[in-house]
Amino acid sequence: MFSDNIKQSFVALIAGLIFGLGLIVSEMVNPAKILAFLDVAGEWDPSLAFVMGGALITAGIGYKLIFSRSRPVLSSDFLLPVKKEIDGKLVMGAALFGIGWGITGLCPGPALTALTIGATEIYLFLLAMIVGIFGFKFSRKFLGQT
Amino acid sequence: MDISSLIPALGGGILIGLAAIGLMLFNGRIAGISGIVGGIFPFKSNDTGWRVIFLVGLVLSPFLYRIFIGQITEINFDTSLPLLALGGVLVGVGTQLGSGCTSGHGVCGISRLSIRSITATLIFMATAALTVFLIRHVLGA
């Protein structure tokens, strides 16, 4: 009755809602909680480790079962990263992301989830993040790099 | 710290894991937020819709929370505006250069036992902790 494309969009909507609920329930939308985890020399809050633990056990088992299938339910292929080697881009990118995360306590998922529940400063962070994401992608494209 | 305060953390993590499972089982996609956002450009007619709709779900999730679970207190930011902007740009550029963020590398990648993701997660955790240490305990902000 519905095309796979419509069904995939419905799955994406539900997945986005559940993902966001997880971030709110675990309070990971609150940068103060993130910074309290990262502040190992202060009054350390282990919450983020439990969030990641819960997510990793769930997704780890789930993925294992899913990858025993030959294909996803609504699509022809699993689209997984093919790169295996650790290169300078990965190391430099992760390092820069970590610095930005450490300065603000915000990463992309929580920042987007906080759009309607954060003080107005969240708009500045999101705007800067989007400029960073697409500025980088546009410059790559127009400078002809891969 | 009270151990029972860690139950929501674990429960929230399980929800995030379930969302990642759903997106992979049905659509064959990684639930990495920076990748989902970044993949909107360059535009492809059959690949942009689900990305935007996933992000709509993410943005609408607080309304669902309010309906079924309870109130949400407004989130405040202690970071100064210039630093929030700088941090935003670093998060944007860093996640694209490094092909992932906390969700893409930290959750989905490690769940697949990807060496690249394990490496990236260790690096961004380390530079983030170092940054917080410098800001809070060296510069004393």
Side-chain angles (χ1 to χ4, degrees):
Chain A
M1 188 165 78
F2 292 108
S3 73
D4 277 358
N5 217 325
I6 302 272
K7 288 181 197 161
Q8 281 190 33
S9 296
F10 183 71
V11 169
L13 179 68
I14 302 295
L17 285 168
I18 294 174
F19 199 105
L21 276 186
L23 290 170
I24 300 166
V25 168
S26 62
E27 291 186 70
M28 292 298 106
V29 279
N30 186 354
K33 291 283 282 185
I34 303 288
L35 294 173
F37 171 82
L38 294 171
D39 188 6
V40 285
E43 203 172 308
W44 191 59
D45 177 346
S47 296
L48 176 61
F50 282 75
V51 178
M52 278 191 74
L56 285 175
I57 291 168
T58 309
I61 295 170
Y63 275 6
K64 188 110 186 130
L65 296 172
I66 291 166
F67 292 143
S68 64
R69 296 173 54 92
S70 59
R71 45 169 287 190
V73 177
L74 299 174
S75 172
S76 55
D77 300 287
F78 294 110
L79 284 162
L80 302 172
V82 286
K83 239 190 228 179
K84 297 273 180 261
E85 75 278 17
I86 292 155
D87 54 13
K89 285 192 269 188
L90 181 83
V91 172
M92 182 59 77
L96 291 177
F97 163 52
I99 295 170
W101 194 36
I103 292 173
T104 59
L106 288 163
C107 56
L112 284 161
T113 307
L115 182 71
T116 62
I117 49 179
T120 46
E121 291 102 309
I122 192 65
Y123 299 119
L124 175 66
F125 177 88
L126 282 171
L127 184 68
M129 182 181 92
I130 286 164
V131 166
I133 290 175
F134 293 107
F136 178 85
K137 298 210 77 166
F138 276 103
S139 65
R140 274 285 161 106
K141 185 166 170 75
F142 292 115
L143 295 174
Q145 288 173 295
T146 51
Chain B
M1 125 154 302
D2 185 3
I3 294 292
S4 65
S5 72
L6 295 172
I7 293 170
L10 198 61
I14 290 171
L15 285 174
I16 292 166
L18 289 175
I21 286 175
L23 209 55
M24 186 61 74
L25 174 62
F26 291 98
N27 296 7
R29 297 287 185 162
I30 297 272
I33 310 302
S34 63
I36 290 175
V37 176
I40 291 172
F41 174 84
F43 179 80
K44 287 191 218 107
S45 62
N46 59 349
D47 187 55
T48 300
W50 76 271
R51 295 174 186 275
V52 173
I53 290 167
F54 178 92
L55 296 172
V56 166
L58 205 56
V59 169
L60 293 182
S61 61
F63 298 98
L64 202 66
Y65 185 95
R66 287 204 189 90
I67 292 168
F68 292 106
I69 304 177
Q71 289 197 309
I72 307 175
T73 45
E74 191 188 56
I75 294 157
N76 290 300
F77 305 93
D78 295 330
T79 313
S80 70
L81 295 183
L83 281 178
L84 264 181
L86 173 68
V89 172
L90 286 173
V91 167
V93 171
T95 53
Q96 299 310 305
L97 182 62
S99 314
C101 57
T102 335
S103 48
H105 281 314
V107 174
C108 298
I110 295 183
S111 292
R112 297 188 300 118
L113 302 176
S114 152
I115 300 296
R116 273 172 61 86
S117 290
I118 293 167
T119 308
T121 305
L122 290 174
I123 292 172
F124 67 65
M125 286 280 180
T127 59
L130 194 64
T131 302
V132 171
F133 182 79
L134 285 174
I135 291 174
R136 290 196 172 177
H137 303 288
V138 179
L139 303 170

